[in-house]
Amino acid sequence: MTRKTQWLNDAILYEIYPQSFLDSNGDGIGDLPGAMSKLDYLQWLGINTIWFNPCFASPFFDAGYDVADYLTIAPRYGTNEDMEKFVEEAKRRDIRVLLDLVIGHTSVDHQWFVEEANIEGPHPLGDRFIWSENPNLHDTTGDTLGNVPWVLNTGKRGGYFFKNFFVSQPALNFGY
């Protein structure tokens, strides 16, 4: 472990699923201002690291694990400015903030997928997702939900894309 990550040895993590933590505006959904209002209590508990479950923009077909934009906080939780303020306030209390980064797949609503699904042939920047013209040529037994992992692409590109978990979560291509 490097000096930069040494703090992990003594980290006391507290996981926050924003949606169900604390609702500050009465809409029935937890949010960043609600979580921020409990920072003193969390500090009192002795935690020194907060781990947020996915809190990025998403259609929420899978509780936020279907990220549509990795650069924008989900409006139901607040704004990017709310997250910046949360991190500043946490830091003032010597609490680190970790954001759960979903990197195995995106949402079908993510700009990358929409682009690739609607271009004819390979994407000029390379295929960010796993595509096939004939899914029967591949092993389709590895899906943990018992479903065929290939999904018909309804965009201009045609063919099929490989999914992770749900049809709304196209798998990112890490050298497939």
Side-chain angles (χ1 to χ4, degrees):
M1 192 169 281
T2 69
R3 204 176 98 221
K4 289 182 179 182
T5 57
Q6 191 67 33
W7 65 271
L8 282 167
N9 287 336
D10 299 316
I12 302 169
L13 278 86
Y14 189 93
E15 179 183 9
I16 292 180
Y17 181 56
Q19 185 160 305
S20 61
F21 186 72
L22 181 67
D23 173 18
S24 71
N25 61 8
D27 67 358
I29 298 172
D31 48 47
L32 291 169
M36 193 168 0
S37 73
K38 293 297 182 183
L39 281 171
D40 287 336
Y41 173 71
L42 294 172
Q43 181 185 29
W44 177 83
L45 285 177
I47 67 107
N48 58 20
T49 307
I50 291 172
W51 164 34
F52 273 107
N53 288 121
C55 55
F56 301 106
S58 166
F60 287 91
F61 294 124
D62 185 21
Y65 284 88
D66 48 334
V67 177
D69 182 353
Y70 292 99
L71 302 178
T72 304
I73 296 297
R76 65 172 52 182
Y77 300 146
T79 64
N80 285 13
E81 290 77 21
D82 290 334
M83 180 58 82
E84 288 174 21
K85 186 173 180 185
F86 185 94
V87 171
E88 288 170 11
E89 289 298 313
K91 185 176 182 177
R92 224 172 37 80
R93 293 165 176 84
D94 295 319
I95 298 173
R96 286 174 157 64
V97 177
L98 301 175
L99 302 180
D100 198 334
L101 182 62
V102 180
I103 61 169
H105 56 266
T106 69
S107 164
V108 291
D109 294 341
H110 193 288
Q111 177 185 340
W112 294 348
F113 184 77
V114 172
E115 256 180 36
E116 277 193 33
N118 288 296
I119 194 166
E120 293 184 36
H123 192 279
L125 299 176
D127 287 330
R128 291 181 177 132
F129 300 89
I130 303 167
W131 299 95
S132 177
E133 292 303 314
N134 184 352
N136 296 324
L137 296 176
H138 307 281
D139 176 18
T140 58
T141 60
D143 187 82
T144 58
L145 299 178
N147 299 318
V148 175
W150 293 97
V151 178
L152 179 64
N153 176 35
T154 58
K156 290 179 191 172
R157 179 182 186 142
Y160 299 82
F161 66 87
F162 196 82
K163 72 175 178 77
N164 274 355
F165 308 108
F166 299 108
V167 297
S168 60
Q169 297 169 318
L172 284 162
N173 185 355
F174 291 104
Y176 188 82

